[in-house]
């Protein structure tokens, strides 16, 4: 078993203007099957279209609103909803609000989350 508190792990910021900040909650030694991170997307921020490599992703909004764009369609997400993104699917995210939106992100396998180690620590 492994327990992590978000305030106890490094917070990393994407190397793009107004990019998201993430805290990886599952260290490599916790699991080689799944990773969990907390992501904060600033108000008005947008993430360009991207994929997650070999990882499937589940987005779980905790606060705020997110617009998930997939294959030309917008899907609003808010607390109480989830989105599953399959391997190789290309998506973009936007926070249309003025306040930060917070999400839990689950990746299986954890390869995509491991790649975030290259993001600078705040």
């Amino acid at each position: 078993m492994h327990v992590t508190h978000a305030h106890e792990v490094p917070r990393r910021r994407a190397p793009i203007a107004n990019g998201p900040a993430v805290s990886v909650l599952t260290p490599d030694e916790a699991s080689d099957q799944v990773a969990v991170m907390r992501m904060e997307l600033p108000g008005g921020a947008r993430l360009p279209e991207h994929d997650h490599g070999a990882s499937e992703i589940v987005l779980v909004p905790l606060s705020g609103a997110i617009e998930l764009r997939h294959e030309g369609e917008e899907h609003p997400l808010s607390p109480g909803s989830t989105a599953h993104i399959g391997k190789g699917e290309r998506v973009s995210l936007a926070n249309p609000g003025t306040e930060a939106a917070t999400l839990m992100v689950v990746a299986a396998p954890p390869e995509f989350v491991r790649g975030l180690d290259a993001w600078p620590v705040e």
Side-chain angles (χ1 to χ4, degrees), residues 75-93:
H75 304 275
L77 301 176
S78 59
S81 62
T82 62
H84 174 263
I85 303 163
K87 292 177 187 174
E89 288 186 303
R90 295 191 60 79
V91 298
S92 62
L93 290 175

Side-chain angles (χ1 to χ4, degrees), residues 27-34 109-111 114:
D28 284 345
E29 63 272 11
S31 176
D32 61 354
Q33 300 296 310
V34 66
E111 275 70 21
R114 288 181 181 145

Side-chain angles (χ1 to χ4, degrees), residues 27-81:
D28 284 345
E29 63 272 11
S31 176
D32 61 354
Q33 300 296 310
V34 66
V36 178
M37 68 178 178
R38 181 182 182 275
M39 181 174 85
E40 185 177 289
L41 190 59
R46 294 190 169 283
L47 286 177
E49 186 177 70
H50 62 282
D51 67 49
H52 302 97
S55 298
E56 292 189 42
I57 301 291
V58 176
L59 301 177
V60 182
L62 301 176
S63 68
I66 295 290
E67 292 174 354
L68 174 66
R69 189 172 213 29
H70 176 257
E71 295 185 348
E73 291 187 34
E74 295 225 358
H75 304 275
L77 301 176
S78 59
S81 62

